[in-house]
């Protein structure tokens, strides 16, 4: 239980940040951490709870980001409406893709690589057409105001994202207690067994994917509203996909606060590495990589594991 | 497989975590006291992508900026402010716009008076926006996309020419060179990278070239990075154009040039690059003299006839650096910036912004004449035309800055 | 309109594919036996490219000869990496291995950046500019050599797997790990040997690639995605599969680049991958149902 307590404490501490922090730099820093925490939580739903490791979550992130950018810039839609539509459309796309993928019973490495392939296809397509910004990307016009979902005071935005992260934790909590969540965990632990017990594999996986996609798309929407600029590489490139899985696995897969722990730790470490290694290009990332390897060596169940949560049982490697 | 639980390992890791967390927490709670050095030195932020895809260009930029800064410090610092030395605060944009913007925040909070950088257009859009929040004057070194200076941000200054200017200059130059040789160039194939600048360039060229009597028979785009140019070489051979007009980044340009040589593809009149990635790169010219010979570029370049430029070129050669435009532009930008600081009524951001806006500085490397910022853009800024001749990058146009005569059309066979 | 370019494009694609096949041979071996996705594969290729580059510029060693030095060196490096970095982090969870190899990739890529900076390095050897006139196209000598080398290495690996004791042990571990352990095979050692061989293949690929390409710290990533695609397309653990899939993907990439333009043409490989994985997931030559 102590992991949950630590998680709540961390959340509370993060809530206090905008009231205490004067520095714009650190405010932006923690804002980004929160966004990545929610992205990780999105991945967690599919990867942590349902056991399907996606390497292409950037597809959904980008769907939300480009969706809202295109709807605002090309069609003049209101920012909130554009965001909502983008999220819904992305979830729908996730559903269709999910149906295709799961119907053919793709698992393990195949599933991972096919999600990567889809993300790459999206990346190339988006960069190839004028309508979606071509090589340049999409620039959302600067227009501060609550009606435009842009805020000159970043702290308001921060609080909204914080609420999102808290909501994400509630979703995870719900998963752990609900029947749907139990089905996810069942198919994670033993797919054939779950099917024997009557779980509709395809339907359950597709629903999990849609939820995950919607959450990831939400982060995409928020990213665009914060930075007002997105291009194909940022949205659909491997960086976001890796971010999503990294924070969750380090923080503890299949746990409520895992993604949050992971996001905080990794970005804090990254920043620390930058401060230690000064200005030598690349050295800070070397330190980051080394710390990652060390963490994997000594923290087998992620951060949540050392905070006392019951570790996920080691399963026999299910071959793809 | 048995799992070993290493208690000692866990404790060590936990302790390090706590230490790290404290450090970050301290930073978060904004201990500005640590960051505020005593103002015996004046701080300038230098922001470039020194890691990631643009690492080479970013590193070149940084070198140029630091060279100028160190020279001025050695010559006595900022005399009007009591000989105060300039302190460079370096930042890495990691080739990502959001990191660039975050770094601007950090630099602003570290007390810099201005930011120079960030080389790439996409990053510049984010950094200029961030700088405006802090009323921080931002001198953009390269970044060609026009939006950088058309968004009405009062603290943004761009020293080098933008897209529009470069393209119209390139076309004008091509017109003059072509007609001067009896207009041998009538067809062209455009090869461009599919990102922001390449696509924009291709679009403009397609619009304007017919007006010069040059027909574009093929427009071939490619991603960055691109592993193989054989297809493109074959298509060029089939089109058999008078001119090949490339617009891309360094690695792809070099690979393309080598592939053209391999496949024995030669344009009938010449290769005329507009912002070609390595078309005016000395290292490329020296390493692949055959492939590089006669390649023309319309790009940022210095005025080689100035004494300052000659001294600069010697220093760069002594240090063993590549003499590329990133170094030239950043060296010049820093001089412009520090001159403005010299003239500023006080060592504050507002005064510096004012001084920049009023700058008429001309003692830099570039063929721009005296500086004049209008709505943030340096009016006099223009590119120059170069051609690689016998392993050297020579300026061939405009005539007043030229160091050699153009070879056009290129010799066949 | 492009009919005159079709055949040269196909030939070029085959040459391109040979390099993909080479990088995939090592990866398919590693995946087939250890069932791990080796994220660091591209970084190792980059490291080998640098090694070959420095041997050439500082030691005057021809890149093809450099193979004799680099293959054993990288074999050892791969062995050590697997035994002492990857294996201990496994803890029975496959995702850990994924992440550890990702961490390795980050470390290797950025160490290279710090040590050797981002300046592009390429060599100017006669292999690059000498071409074979095939009538319809010019084939750079270096690419032709790479093609035959890929076939040779594929055959070599197959022979290794089929006729040697080591090969039998590797196949045993791949098929049934605990059973192999029970009959006395030292599984951890075999894992490390496999990783070592895979890494040695990467070193070979680098030596064959250097004459016509360049190296920067970022170059590995461009190859690694295609290598993964090649492995899954060919069927995990199948060398013939990796070879043929590599060649096929090279041709697909060349043709897509020709007909769709190089930018949009990139999706050719990924679209192919998606189709194969959905409709024939064991790959073209996969052993397992």
């Amino acid at each position: 239980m102590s992991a949950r307590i630590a998680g709540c404490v961390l959340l509370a501490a993060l809530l206090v940040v905008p009231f205490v922090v004067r520095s714009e730099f650190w405010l932006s820093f923690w804002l980004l951490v929160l966004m990545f925490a929610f992205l990780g939580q999105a991945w967690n739903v599919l990867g942590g709870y349902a056991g399907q490791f996606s390497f292409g979550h950037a597809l959904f992130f980008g769907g939300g980001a480009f969706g809202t950018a295109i709807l605002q810039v090309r069609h003049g839609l209101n920012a909130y409406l554009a965001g909502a539509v983008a999220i819904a459309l992305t979830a729908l796309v996730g559903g269709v893709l999910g149906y295709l993928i799961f119907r053919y019973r793709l698992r393990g490495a195949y599933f991972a690589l096919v999600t990567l392939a889809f993300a790459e296809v999206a990346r190339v397509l988006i960069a190839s057409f004028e309508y979606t910004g071509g090589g340049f990307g999409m620039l959302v016009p600067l227009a501060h105001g609550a009606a435009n979902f842009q805020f000159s005071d970043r702290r308001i935005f921060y609080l909204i994202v914080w609420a999102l992260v808290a909501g994400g934790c509630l979703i995870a909590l719900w998963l752990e207690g609900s029947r749907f969540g139990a089905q996810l965990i069942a198919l994670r632990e033993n797919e054939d067994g779950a099917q024997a017990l009557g779980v509709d594999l395809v339907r359950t996986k597709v629903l999990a994917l849609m939820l995950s996609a919607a959450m990831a798309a939400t982060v995409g929407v928020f990213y665009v509203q914060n930075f007002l600029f997105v291009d194909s590489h940022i949205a659909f490139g491997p960086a976001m996909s890796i971010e999503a899985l990294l924070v969750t696995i380090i923080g503890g897969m299949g746990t409520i606060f895992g993604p949050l722990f992971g996001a905080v730790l990794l970005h804090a470490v990254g920043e620390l590495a930058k401060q230690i290694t000064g200005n030598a290009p690349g050295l800070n990332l070397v330190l980051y990589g080394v710390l990652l390897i060390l963490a994997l060596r000594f923290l087998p169940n992620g951060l949540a594991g050392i905070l006392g949560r019951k570790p996920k049982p080691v399963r026999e490697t299910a071959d793809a | 497989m048995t799992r070993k639980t290493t208690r000692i390992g866990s404790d060590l890791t936990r302790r390090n975590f706590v230490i790290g967390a404290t450090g970050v927490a301290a930073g978060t709670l904004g201990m500005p006291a640590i960051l505020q050095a005593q103002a015996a030195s004046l701080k300038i932020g230098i922001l470039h992508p020194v890691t990631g895809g643009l690492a080479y260009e970013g590193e070149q930029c940084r070198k140029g900026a630091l060279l100028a800064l160190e020279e001025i410090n050695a010559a006595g610092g900022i005399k009007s402010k009591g000989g105060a030395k300039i302190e460079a605060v370096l930042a890495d944009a990691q080739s990502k716009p959001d990191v660039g913007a975050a770094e601007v925040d950090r630099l602003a909070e570290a007390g810099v008076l201005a930011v120079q950088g960030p080389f790439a257009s996409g990053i510049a859009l984010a950094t200029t926006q961030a700088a405006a929040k802090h009323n921080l004057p931002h001198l953009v070194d390269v970044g060609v996309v026009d939006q950088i200076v058309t968004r009405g941000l009062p603290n943004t200054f761009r020293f080098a020419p933008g897209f529009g200017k470069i393209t119209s200059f390139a076309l004008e130059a091509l017109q003059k060179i072509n007609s001067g040789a009896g207009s041998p160039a009538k067809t062209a194939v455009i090869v461009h990278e599919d990102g922001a600048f390449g696509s924009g360039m291709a679009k403009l060229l397609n619009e304007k070239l017919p007006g010069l009597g040059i027909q574009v028979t093929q427009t071939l785009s490619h991603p960055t990075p691109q592993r193989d140019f054989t297809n493109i070489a074959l298509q060029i051979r089939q089109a058999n154009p008078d001119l090949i007009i490339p617009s891309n980044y360094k690695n792809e340009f070099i690979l393309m040039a080598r592939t053209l040589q391999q496949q024995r593809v030669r344009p009938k009149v010449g290769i005329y690059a507009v912002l070609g990635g390595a078309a005016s790169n000395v290292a490329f010219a020296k390493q692949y003299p055959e492939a590089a010979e006669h390649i023309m570029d319309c790009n940022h370049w210095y005025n080689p006839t100035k004494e300052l430029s000659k001294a600069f070129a010697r220093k760069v050669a002594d240090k063993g650096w590549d003499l590329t435009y990133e170094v030239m532009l950043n060296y010049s930008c820093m001089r412009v910036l520090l001159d403005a600081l010299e003239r500023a009524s006080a060592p504050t951001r507002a005064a510096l912004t004012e001084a920049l806006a009023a700058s008429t500085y001309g003692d830099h490397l570039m063929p721009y004449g005296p500086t004049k910022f209008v709505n943030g853009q340096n009016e006099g800024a223009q590119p120059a035309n170069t051609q690689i001749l016998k392993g050297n990058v020579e300026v061939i146009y405009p005539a007043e800055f030229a160091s050699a005569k153009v070879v056009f059309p290129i010799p066949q066979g | 309109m492009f009919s005159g370019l079709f055949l040269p494009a196909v030939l070029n694609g085959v040459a391109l594919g040979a390099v993909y096949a080479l990088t995939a041979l090592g990866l398919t071996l590693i995946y087939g036996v250890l069932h791990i996705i080796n994220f660091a594969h591209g970084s190792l290729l980059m490291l080998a490219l640098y090694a070959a580059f420095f041997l050439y510029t500082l030691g005057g060693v021809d890149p093809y000869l450099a193979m004799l030095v680099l293959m054993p060196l990288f074999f050892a490096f791969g062995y050590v990496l697997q035994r002492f970095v990857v294996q201990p982090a496994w803890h029975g969870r496959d995702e850990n291995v994924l992440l550890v190899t990702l961490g390795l990739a980050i470390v290797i890529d950025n160490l290279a950046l710090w040590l050797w900076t981002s300046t592009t390095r390429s060599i100017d050897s006669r292999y690059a500019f000498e071409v074979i006139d095939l009538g319809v196209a010019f084939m750079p000598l270096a690419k032709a050599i790479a093609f035959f080398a890929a076939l040779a290495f594929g055959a070599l690996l197959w022979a290794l797997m089929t006729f040697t004791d080591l090969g039998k042990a590797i196949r045993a571990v791949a098929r049934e790990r605990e059973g192999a352990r029970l009959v006395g095979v030292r599984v951890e050692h075999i894992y490390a040997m496999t990783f070592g061989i895979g890494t040695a293949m990467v070193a070979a690929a680098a030596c064959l690639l250097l004459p016509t390409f360049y190296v920067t710290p970022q170059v590995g990533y461009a190859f690694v995605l295609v290598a993964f695609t090649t492995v899954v397309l060919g069927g995990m653990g199948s060398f013939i599969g990796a070879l043929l899939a590599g060649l096929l993907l090279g041709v697909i990439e060349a043709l897509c680049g020709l007909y769709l333009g190089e930018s949009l043409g990139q999706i050719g490989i990924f679209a192919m991958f998606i189709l194969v994985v959905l409709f024939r997931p064991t790959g073209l030559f996969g052993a397992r149902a």
Side-chain angles (χ1 to χ4, degrees):
Chain A
M1 277 304 140
S2 62
R4 290 199 183 185
I5 295 176
C8 291
V9 168
L10 187 57
L11 252 189
L14 286 169
L15 178 60
V16 168
V17 161
F19 302 109
V20 158
V21 169
R22 297 271 155 261
S23 155
E24 185 77 28
F25 172 73
W26 286 108
L27 185 66
S28 297
F29 174 82
W30 291 112
L31 176 63
L32 215 54
V33 167
L34 284 178
M35 282 204 250
F36 287 135
F38 194 69
L39 184 65
Q41 191 69 276
W43 192 91
N44 196 22
V45 167
L46 191 64
Y49 288 105
Q52 313 295 312
F53 296 139
S54 149
F55 273 28
H57 249 59
L59 176 65
F60 308 122
F61 171 85
F66 265 92
T68 190
I70 292 174
L71 286 171
Q72 287 182 64
V73 171
R74 301 263 181 257
H75 300 279
L77 240 60
N78 166 267
Y80 292 100
L81 191 58
V85 171
I87 294 172
L89 280 177
T90 307
L92 204 65
V93 166
V96 169
L97 284 181
Y99 179 70
L100 223 77
I101 296 173
F102 295 126
R103 187 173 168 293
Y104 290 100
R105 302 229 27 190
L106 290 183
R107 283 186 269 179
Y110 285 119
F111 175 72
L113 290 176
V114 97
T115 55
L116 180 64
F118 274 117
E120 283 292 295
V121 168
R123 184 181 63 77
V124 173
L125 284 177
I126 292 285
S128 302
F129 300 106
E130 196 67 42
Y131 176 73
T132 53
F136 182 71
M138 299 289 301
L139 194 61
V140 173
L142 193 62
H144 286 310
N148 300 321
F149 202 12
Q150 291 179 35
F151 304 101
S152 51
D153 186 352
R154 189 164 275 166
R155 286 178 292 181
I156 302 177
F157 202 70
Y158 181 99
L159 288 171
I160 299 179
V161 176
W162 182 91
L164 205 66
V165 172
C169 295
L170 287 174
I171 292 178
L173 183 64
W174 168 71
L175 277 181
E176 289 195 359
S178 75
R179 189 149 176 273
F180 178 62
Q183 288 175 334
L184 292 186
I185 296 174
L187 69 88
R188 174 187 81 197
E189 294 303 322
N190 188 334
E191 208 170 283
D192 296 318
Q195 188 171 40
L197 286 173
V199 174
D200 181 340
L201 289 183
V202 175
R203 184 170 169 280
T204 311
K205 287 183 189 176
V206 167
L207 286 175
L209 183 56
M210 287 178 76
L211 176 58
S212 184
M215 289 170 77
T218 309
V219 183
V221 167
F222 276 80
Y223 182 93
V224 164
Q225 295 305 127
N226 188 41
F227 291 104
L228 299 177
F229 173 73
V230 67
D231 68 25
S232 183
H233 200 78
I234 295 172
F236 296 103
M240 284 300 164
S241 296
I242 291 179
E243 184 79 41
L245 60 88
L246 204 64
V247 301
T248 310
I249 297 182
I250 293 273
M253 293 197 301
T255 67
I256 296 173
F257 290 105
L260 184 61
F261 289 145
V264 169
L265 178 65
L266 281 179
H267 287 269
V269 163
E271 196 56 37
L272 188 67
K274 252 205 292 193
Q275 310 233 356
I276 293 178
T277 61
N279 293 305
L283 264 193
N284 62 316
L285 291 170
V286 171
L287 184 55
Y288 187 65
V290 167
L291 287 169
L292 175 61
I293 295 175
L294 289 177
L296 288 166
R297 171 79 179 85
F298 297 110
L299 297 178
N301 288 305
L303 218 49
I306 63 165
L307 288 170
R309 184 116 172 91
K310 184 170 74 72
K312 188 164 94 69
V314 174
R315 56 189 165 91
E316 270 306 295
T317 48
D319 293 337
Chain B
M1 179 168 187
T2 51
R3 220 171 65 230
K4 297 188 288 192
T5 31
T6 36
R7 281 226 44 152
I8 301 172
S10 302
D11 280 344
L12 268 177
T13 323
R14 193 182 298 171
R15 183 154 27 116
N16 286 342
F17 174 56
V18 170
I19 292 175
T22 315
V24 169
T28 303
L29 292 175
M31 306 270 149
I34 308 173
L35 304 169
Q36 227 153 50
Q38 269 317 93
S41 65
L42 304 170
K43 300 201 186 105
I44 299 281
I46 301 178
L47 172 63
H48 293 109
V50 292
T51 54
L54 298 168
Y56 170 79
E57 288 84 354
E59 191 62 48
Q60 291 290 93
C61 289
R62 191 185 260 192
K63 285 177 182 158
L66 284 174
L67 184 61
L69 193 143
E70 280 152 20
E71 275 178 9
I72 291 181
N73 271 348
I78 303 293
K79 301 182 184 51
S80 71
K81 312 286 179 293
K85 300 281 192 249
I86 315 294
E87 187 190 321
V89 184
L90 301 175
D92 176 9
Q94 287 184 31
S95 306
K96 295 186 202 150
D98 46 313
V99 175
E103 286 298 290
V104 169
D105 286 333
R106 186 174 69 83
L107 288 171
E109 281 149 25
V112 302
L113 293 173
V115 166
Q116 175 173 321
F119 176 73
S121 296
I123 306 179
L125 287 169
T127 56
T128 48
Q129 215 167 296
K133 271 195 319 238
H134 301 276
N135 289 323
L136 186 61
H138 188 335
L139 184 57
V140 176
D141 53 350
V142 180
V144 292
V145 158
D146 286 318
Q147 273 108 326
I148 295 174
V149 285
T150 57
R151 288 182 304 170
L153 294 170
N155 307 77
T156 305
F157 298 92
R158 182 167 64 190
F159 183 61
F163 227 29
K165 183 62 189 273
I166 294 178
T167 336
S168 61
F169 185 96
L171 290 166
E172 203 188 285
L174 179 58
Q175 168 92 312
K176 291 218 173 79
I177 295 175
N178 196 20
S179 57
S183 298
K186 298 200 172 26
T187 60
V189 166
I190 300 174
V191 179
H192 69 95
E193 66 96 35
D194 63 8
F197 106 86
S199 315
M201 187 63 70
K203 194 156 154 235
L204 247 96
L205 288 173
N206 266 295
E207 278 169 33
K208 303 273 164 85
L209 277 172
L212 267 65
I214 299 176
Q215 194 208 0
V216 177
T217 50
Q218 284 261 45
T219 304
L220 304 168
S221 86
H222 67 80
T224 307
Q226 171 68 5
R227 293 184 286 279
D228 182 80
F229 276 87
T230 314
N231 268 346
I232 287 185
L234 293 174
Q235 285 173 269
I236 294 177
R237 204 225 309 274
Q238 194 183 54
N240 199 14
D242 296 322
L243 288 176
I244 301 175
I245 306 184
S247 256
N248 45 20
Y249 291 111
K250 187 169 73 94
N251 292 336
E252 284 65 38
F253 186 93
I254 297 179
L255 200 56
M256 180 192 74
R258 290 169 71 195
T259 310
L260 288 176
Q261 190 188 352
Q262 252 175 15
Q263 294 293 328
R264 314 287 193 260
V265 175
R266 269 171 87 79
K268 298 205 286 271
V269 173
I271 297 181
Y272 186 83
V274 184
L275 293 179
S280 44
N281 185 309
V282 170
F284 164 63
K286 299 250 185 279
Q287 193 177 10
Y288 297 105
E290 264 189 65
E293 187 71 1
H294 297 128
I295 290 183
M296 288 179 278
D297 195 10
C298 183
N299 211 328
H300 306 288
W301 201 251
Y302 71 171
N303 177 353
T305 61
K306 284 191 178 186
E307 280 311 315
L308 184 65
S309 305
K310 292 179 188 161
F312 168 80
R314 274 197 299 272
K315 279 198 201 112
V316 167
D318 286 340
K319 287 187 187 282
W321 297 346
D322 290 342
L323 184 62
T324 61
Y325 71 80
E326 294 98 1
V327 196
M328 298 166 185
L329 267 175
N330 273 272
Y331 181 86
S332 305
C333 279
M334 185 54 73
R335 288 175 73 93
V336 170
L337 200 53
L338 295 181
D339 165 77
L341 190 54
E342 190 73 63
R343 287 179 296 104
S345 53
T348 64
R349 290 172 189 170
L352 185 51
T353 306
E354 243 184 80
L356 269 173
S359 177
T360 56
Y361 189 67
D363 192 17
H364 53 68
L365 306 172
M366 309 307 289
Y368 300 167
T371 306
K372 182 163 179 233
F373 290 110
V374 174
N375 287 331
Q377 174 62 47
N378 182 9
E379 290 274 289
Q382 58 180 28
N385 277 69
T386 60
Q387 187 169 33
I388 298 180
L389 296 167
K390 297 201 182 53
N392 291 315
V393 179
E394 310 278 1
V395 174
I396 48 142
Y397 179 91
E400 62 261 41
F401 309 121
S403 57
K405 245 188 119 351
V406 63
V407 175
F408 188 95
I410 60 175
Q412 288 299 318
Chain C
M1 187 197 351
F2 284 130
S3 52
L5 296 176
F6 182 83
L7 203 49
V10 169
L11 285 172
N12 184 48
V14 167
L16 205 60
V19 178
Y20 294 157
L22 267 176
T23 49
L25 278 175
L27 198 59
T28 200
L29 180 63
I30 292 175
Y31 193 94
V33 177
L34 287 87
H35 305 298
I36 65 177
I37 297 181
N38 179 16
F39 251 74
H41 207 69
S43 310
L44 293 169
L45 178 70
M46 179 267 294
L47 215 58
L49 278 168
Y50 268 109
F53 170 78
F54 284 122
L55 275 178
Y56 182 86
T57 48
L58 298 176
V61 178
D62 182 285
Y64 299 129
L65 285 181
M67 261 196 272
L68 297 173
V69 170
L70 291 179
M71 284 182 74
L73 196 65
F74 273 76
F75 169 82
F77 186 48
Y79 186 99
V80 164
L81 271 184
Q82 209 287 337
R83 197 86 197 251
F84 300 111
V85 180
V86 177
Q87 186 77 353
W90 184 37
H91 299 294
R93 294 156 59 112
D94 288 344
E95 53 271 11
N96 275 23
V97 172
L98 210 123
L99 283 188
V100 136
T101 56
L102 177 65
L104 268 177
I106 294 175
V107 170
I108 296 175
D109 285 350
N110 286 285
L111 262 182
L113 177 62
W114 177 58
L115 285 172
W116 300 313
T117 77
S118 44
T119 312
T120 312
R121 322 288 183 125
S122 52
I123 65 173
D124 192 8
S125 78
R126 60 186 189 83
Y127 301 117
F129 289 121
E130 272 179 32
V131 289
I132 305 174
D133 189 346
L134 293 174
V136 284
F138 289 118
M139 179 64 61
L141 186 61
K143 288 193 183 179
I145 294 179
F147 175 77
F148 289 110
L151 294 181
F153 277 114
L156 214 68
L157 272 180
W158 177 80
L160 181 73
M161 289 296 124
T162 317
F163 298 121
T164 66
D165 283 343
L166 174 64
K168 290 190 187 125
I170 292 178
R171 279 187 292 142
V173 168
R175 188 154 297 194
E176 175 53 67
R177 188 184 68 217
E178 292 310 321
R181 196 196 297 276
L182 285 173
V183 298
V185 173
R186 287 152 53 218
V187 171
E188 282 73 31
H189 171 68
I190 292 298
Y191 276 169
M193 291 292 281
T194 311
F195 203 93
I197 296 175
T199 312
M201 296 306 313
V202 157
C207 293
L208 291 159
L209 185 59
L210 187 61
T212 50
F213 202 57
Y214 56 78
V215 57
T216 69
Q218 293 96 17
V219 95
Y221 181 71
F223 279 93
V224 87
L225 288 180
V226 179
F228 281 155
T229 309
T230 312
V231 166
V232 179
L233 184 58
M236 284 171 324
S238 162
F239 299 126
I240 305 217
L243 276 176
L244 289 173
L247 296 177
L248 181 63
L249 282 176
V251 171
I252 290 177
E253 183 177 326
L255 288 177
C256 281
L258 190 61
Y259 291 112
L260 294 175
E262 297 288 349
S263 301
L264 194 54
Q266 288 175 93
I267 64 173
I269 291 194
F270 296 115
M272 182 70 194
F273 175 74
I274 291 171
L275 288 172
V276 170
V277 153
L278 285 180
F279 298 114
R280 223 199 129 91
T282 50
L284 298 173
F285 300 94
R288 233 159 343 152

